Amino acid sequence: MASPTRILWIAILASFVSFLDGTIVNVALPAIDRELGGGLSTQQWVVDGYLITLGALMLLAGSVSDAFGRALVLRIGLVGFGIASVAIALAPDPLILIIARLVQGAAGAFLVPSSLALITSAFSGAARAKAIGTWTSFTTGAMVVGPLIGGVLVDLASWRFAFLINVIPIAVTLWLVRRVKDPERRPDARIDIIGALMCTLGLGGIVYALIEEPRFGWQHPAILVTGVGGALIFVLFLLRQRTVRSPILPLGLFRVRNFWTGNVATMFVYAALSLNGFVLAIYLQEGAGLSATLAGLASLPVTILMILLSSRVGALAGRWGARGFMTVGPLVMAVGSAMLLLVGSPFDYWWQVLPGMVVFGLGLTITVSPLTSTILGAIGPEQSGIASAVNNAVSRVAGLIAVAMIGSAIGGSLDLDGFHRSCLIVSALLAAGGVVSWLGIRDAQRREPVEP
């Protein structure tokens, strides 16, 4: 049987590749556009293609994890992710690249819920809060350090190597997980495959309409059909989850106050995070004229703060309660985003970007670990896989919709005015996350098993 320390490192490494790839692509987008073409629309699809299947299938993966075993699901996800990463690196055109990103997101969906479920099974009490804090520092650090790694690889080699780098942590994790044994499969285990397809098609239709609307307009038949059709399918998916025998989204979970409130806060915070990363990486290169490496370095202060402080913040939240952290953190991040309004011409990173990034990073560090611990702590360990999956799906879906809408929000052009509008949108989303946490979160809530 694997030790808790080994379990923690497996969880960190398995999630690391999924989080890393969610952001490493941002700084590579201008290089991808120069080589393969497609403009802003293709850049949005490269990001959102990954997030669609990641967010939609994460619910399915959480159910599979609880029913068939966390280690098995991790192995499936790791192998699939590695194969898709190689396919992306070899993509000859935008279509193949986007298809490979869809596959990669599907594989990534099997990594994060299983990782967190392993932690909740191996740790308890204050040790669990600290372990989740450690997991958070590395995985969220991967989200932030991704642009730096991508930038270096883009400038020194090719954007294609930014995806091949995944093979290394995948190989190490597969070696570590070989000694992890799953409990026997539940004899009554059932998986709602139809629900998973409905969720994916619904989200796909909505996101297609949002991304392509600036090019075609809302009156275009394709936009109307996919947008309205996607929304209708997603509503039918939710209705199905109320009656199906083994739902991939147990709506009963949302009767737990800290769970549903924490997920609403997650929706606002992660929509802002995804939008901030997407816009900043592109504007610093195409608007401010920085190299890919320098654009990636812009987020380094956030990474350093996350690595140094997340574990400590997780431990403090476990002792004092998460409500204050989840309120103050997003508000501090909102201030940091608003400080990016200083960006202008002539451009100066040290005075216009660095102060805002330091404040943003401090707020992110205060927020993420308590947010994760609160949501998982609200639900009993027997449902930890699906609880983690729901939370991560909410964060990814929020991010993909935010990125999909950016073209309409900024008028289709990421110039200086568009960048400033994006900063204000990010700041407003973060402030909303802080207010929701203050009004809704209750400290020291007892974990509850919940009927579907």
Side-chain angles (χ1 to χ4, degrees):
M1 183 64 182
S3 68
T5 301
R6 188 186 187 96
I7 292 292
L8 178 58
W9 277 108
I10 290 170
I12 288 171
L13 288 171
S15 300
F16 187 91
V17 293
S18 177
F19 281 91
L20 180 70
D21 234 67
T23 57
I24 198 172
V25 67
N26 286 337
V27 78
L29 291 174
I32 292 172
D33 183 41
R34 287 193 297 270
E35 183 174 334
L36 302 182
L40 180 62
S41 177
T42 294
Q43 291 175 326
Q44 288 174 288
W45 272 114
V46 170
V47 174
D48 273 354
Y50 177 80
L51 292 175
I52 287 172
T53 49
L54 181 70
L57 296 182
M58 202 172 279
L59 297 173
L60 174 66
S63 296
V64 173
S65 171
D66 285 341
F68 296 97
R70 284 75 191 258
L72 171 64
V73 171
L74 269 182
R75 293 186 187 101
I76 294 171
L78 288 166
V79 172
F81 205 94
I83 293 172
S85 297
V86 174
I88 291 169
L90 298 175
D93 56 54
L95 179 60
I96 299 299
L97 174 61
I98 292 168
I99 292 173
R101 285 285 284 172
L102 287 165
V103 175
Q104 190 184 45
F110 284 79
L111 299 178
V112 177
S114 301
S115 300
L116 277 170
L118 280 173
I119 291 177
T120 57
S121 299
F123 297 89
S124 61
R128 177 185 295 168
K130 186 175 181 180
I132 291 176
T134 303
W135 178 89
T136 300
S137 68
F138 281 93
T139 54
T140 309
M143 292 177 61
V144 183
V145 80
L148 173 58
I149 296 173
V152 172
L153 292 172
V154 167
D155 285 340
L156 298 183
S158 166
W159 62 267
R160 299 176 186 274
F161 286 95
F163 298 96
L164 282 177
I165 196 173
N166 295 324
V167 174
I168 298 172
I170 286 173
V172 173
T173 311
L174 283 171
W175 181 79
L176 289 173
V177 80
R178 76 193 193 283
R179 292 176 56 185
V180 178
K181 304 297 182 183
D182 283 321
E184 292 186 10
R185 171 182 167 180
R186 284 191 352 228
D188 61 338
R190 298 288 186 276
I191 303 299
D192 183 19
I193 301 295
I194 294 175
L197 290 174
M198 292 175 68
C199 184
T200 305
L201 290 173
L203 290 174
I206 294 169
V207 170
Y208 176 86
L210 291 173
I211 288 178
E212 300 297 335
E213 183 277 328
R215 194 152 57 114
F216 296 106
W218 288 113
Q219 294 76 27
H220 194 280
I223 301 301
L224 281 175
V225 170
T226 55
V228 175
L232 179 60
I233 292 173
F234 192 75
V235 170
L236 292 175
F237 159 73
L238 294 177
L239 293 175
R240 175 182 174 83
Q241 299 308 290
R242 297 180 60 186
T243 57
V244 71
R245 179 180 174 184
S246 300
I248 61 173
L249 177 59
L251 299 180
L253 292 173
F254 292 93
R255 289 197 292 267
V256 180
R257 184 186 182 102
N258 274 10
F259 186 81
W260 73 259
T261 305
N263 276 289
V264 173
T266 294
M267 178 183 68
F268 286 117
V269 170
Y270 277 86
L273 276 177
S274 296
L275 186 56
N276 179 75
F278 179 82
V279 169
L280 191 65
I282 294 178
Y283 180 78
L284 290 182
Q285 293 178 76
E286 297 184 349
L290 298 185
S291 67
T293 301
L294 290 177
L297 280 169
S299 61
L300 187 60
V302 181
T303 306
I304 294 172
L305 287 168
M306 287 295 302
I307 292 174
L308 291 179
L309 300 178
S310 284
S311 180
R312 179 61 177 164
V313 170
L316 290 175
R319 186 185 311 163
W320 297 342
R323 184 188 184 200
F325 292 89
M326 291 172 60
T327 301
V328 172
L331 295 178
V332 172
M333 292 168 69
V335 172
S337 179
M339 290 171 67
L340 293 177
L341 294 173
L342 295 171
V343 171
S345 183
F347 177 78
D348 187 319
Y349 168 80
W350 299 105
W351 293 105
Q352 297 174 0
V353 178
L354 179 61
M357 295 305 293
V358 170
V359 174
F360 191 92
L362 181 61
L364 182 63
T365 304
I366 295 171
T367 302
V368 176
S369 180
L371 176 63
T372 305
S373 296
T374 296
I375 291 171
L376 293 185
I379 304 298
E382 69 279 1
Q383 293 175 299
S384 59
I386 189 59
S388 168
V390 170
N391 181 238
N392 279 280
V394 167
S395 67
R396 302 302 170 251
V397 171
L400 77 88
I401 292 177
V403 171
M405 293 181 65
I406 189 59
S408 300
I410 66 175
S413 175
L414 193 53
D415 54 14
L416 182 59
D417 288 339
F419 177 74
H420 284 166
R421 283 195 291 273
S422 300
C423 293
L424 290 174
I425 294 171
V426 169
S427 187
L429 288 169
L430 291 167
V435 171
V436 167
S437 297
W438 175 254
L439 294 176
I441 294 296
R442 296 294 180 265
D443 288 327
Q445 184 184 41
R446 182 176 62 87
R447 289 180 283 114
E448 306 172 32
V450 184
E451 294 297 326

